[in-house]
Amino acid sequence: MEKLKDLSLIVSQAARGELVFPTSVNAALRLQLALSDPDCHSEDVIRKVLGEPLLAARTVALSNAAVFKRSGETVTSVRGAVMRVGYRNLYTMAAAMVVRQFGSRIHDAALRHKAERLWQHTAHVAALAHVVARKITGVDADTALFAGIVHEAGGFYLLSRADDMPGLLEHPEEWLGPAQEIISREMMRKMAIPEAVAQAIVTLPGAVLTPPPSGLRDTLLIAKRLAPVPSPMYVPAGEARRNAALEHFVNDNEVLDRVLVESADEARSMSAALLA
């Protein structure tokens, strides 16, 4: 009963637009919003990135991932990294910082481990979504990368709240469905996620692939299925059976196999940069 009351509190907070964000997340969120300002001068952007050492390090790492390292030269400065990856991908890295902050404040060892696994899953999904978008679905690849980064934001939020509310996530059937969607929608709103991306994410649970795959949601579905680290969040029994078309597309697709082989280095280097 107490757990249901806790969940009810979180859902009602989400419905009222009052999700509780820790101070560290608010700081990263402000940086993300500043970077989204089209009038933000390049020198201001570089100063803001330099002011966040983790963001600076990850941006440099991303700029040296195979997909961006076209010239063969290794970038060693934040200025060079920002110029190479561009503002859109820098914005994605700032969003990644926001999402990761939720896991970093968890004290419970089991929940902290689950949050780390969820981040590993997120990084692989983002890298694979970038590949699938370019090679299979034709979706804008940078948008797919961004969507992959933020698609589990609601899960990170629930894990962070479970740290203060023991047992909150013990019975997934209580928070899956409408409760999960309400929380995810408010997370998307609070992080100022564009509507097209938010819609693809909130409708992802229970989504079914209808070949040929197209659109952002299908891109994320395929990337999640391909991710070498599965999500530690609850997956309903029979989910794979209900999505037989996705299983067939992933397991019996020569084109996809070739794409994955050709893009293995790109996906591996990008996910490594995100996990750094």
Side-chain angles (χ1 to χ4, degrees):
M1 184 62 70
E2 196 63 34
K3 284 178 287 187
L4 283 174
K5 284 174 61 180
D6 289 341
L7 182 60
S8 246
L9 172 64
I10 294 172
V11 171
S12 63
Q13 287 174 334
R16 294 194 305 269
E18 299 173 356
L19 288 184
V20 180
F21 276 32
T23 304
S24 59
V25 170
N26 285 328
L29 190 58
R30 283 195 296 273
L31 174 61
Q32 181 197 2
L33 294 176
L35 290 171
S36 69
D37 183 353
D39 295 325
C40 192
H41 192 274
S42 60
E43 292 302 319
D44 291 334
V45 169
I46 291 167
R47 276 196 296 272
K48 284 182 170 65
V49 176
L50 286 169
E52 295 289 345
L54 284 177
L55 177 62
R58 287 169 187 150
T59 302
V60 171
L62 183 65
S63 73
N64 289 310
V67 69
F68 294 111
K69 196 177 178 182
R70 300 300 187 192
S71 68
E73 295 180 3
T74 298
V75 167
T76 58
S77 70
V78 168
R79 181 181 298 275
V82 169
M83 294 301 105
R84 179 178 280 184
V85 304
Y87 283 10
R88 288 181 67 195
N89 288 314
L90 180 60
Y91 179 81
T92 294
M93 296 303 285
M97 212 170 81
V98 173
V99 173
R100 287 193 83 171
Q101 287 289 341
F102 282 103
S104 67
R105 67 183 291 269
I106 294 174
H107 299 293
D108 180 86
L111 289 172
R112 192 165 61 247
H113 175 71
K114 187 172 282 193
E116 183 53 36
R117 291 282 293 177
L118 188 58
W119 178 247
Q120 292 173 19
H121 173 74
T122 295
H124 286 296
V125 169
L128 287 163
H130 192 271
V131 170
V132 172
R134 285 188 295 117
K135 306 281 190 173
I136 301 289
T137 60
V139 172
D140 179 77
D142 290 343
T143 299
L145 176 69
F146 176 68
I149 286 293
V150 299
H151 85 282
E152 283 283 10
F156 280 102
Y157 182 81
L158 282 171
L159 286 170
S160 71
R161 294 304 300 273
D163 199 42
D164 304 319
M165 301 172 172
L168 177 70
L169 303 181
E170 284 179 1
H171 300 286
E173 65 279 1
E174 294 171 356
W175 53 265
L176 284 173
Q180 182 185 32
E181 182 173 340
I182 290 169
I183 293 165
S184 290
R185 282 193 180 279
E186 177 54 20
M187 284 292 292
M188 298 297 103
R189 189 194 70 79
K190 193 137 186 174
M191 293 178 67
I193 305 301
E195 179 56 30
V197 176
Q199 186 63 19
I201 289 170
V202 298
T203 58
L204 196 56
V208 174
L209 182 73
T210 306
S214 63
L216 186 56
R217 188 176 67 178
D218 284 355
T219 301
L220 290 173
L221 270 177
I222 296 167
K224 283 180 73 65
R225 175 60 184 79
L226 290 170
V229 179
S231 171
M233 303 303 280
Y234 179 74
V235 177
E239 182 78 19
R241 289 195 301 275
R242 288 198 300 273
N243 212 342
L246 175 61
E247 295 302 303
H248 178 75
F249 181 84
V250 170
N251 295 324
D252 301 286
N253 190 316
E254 291 182 7
V255 174
L256 180 61
D257 286 345
R258 186 172 68 252
V259 163
L260 293 176
V261 169
E262 292 172 352
S263 308
D265 288 342
E266 288 184 5
R268 188 162 43 247
S269 64
M270 184 177 287
S271 60
L274 294 170
L275 288 166

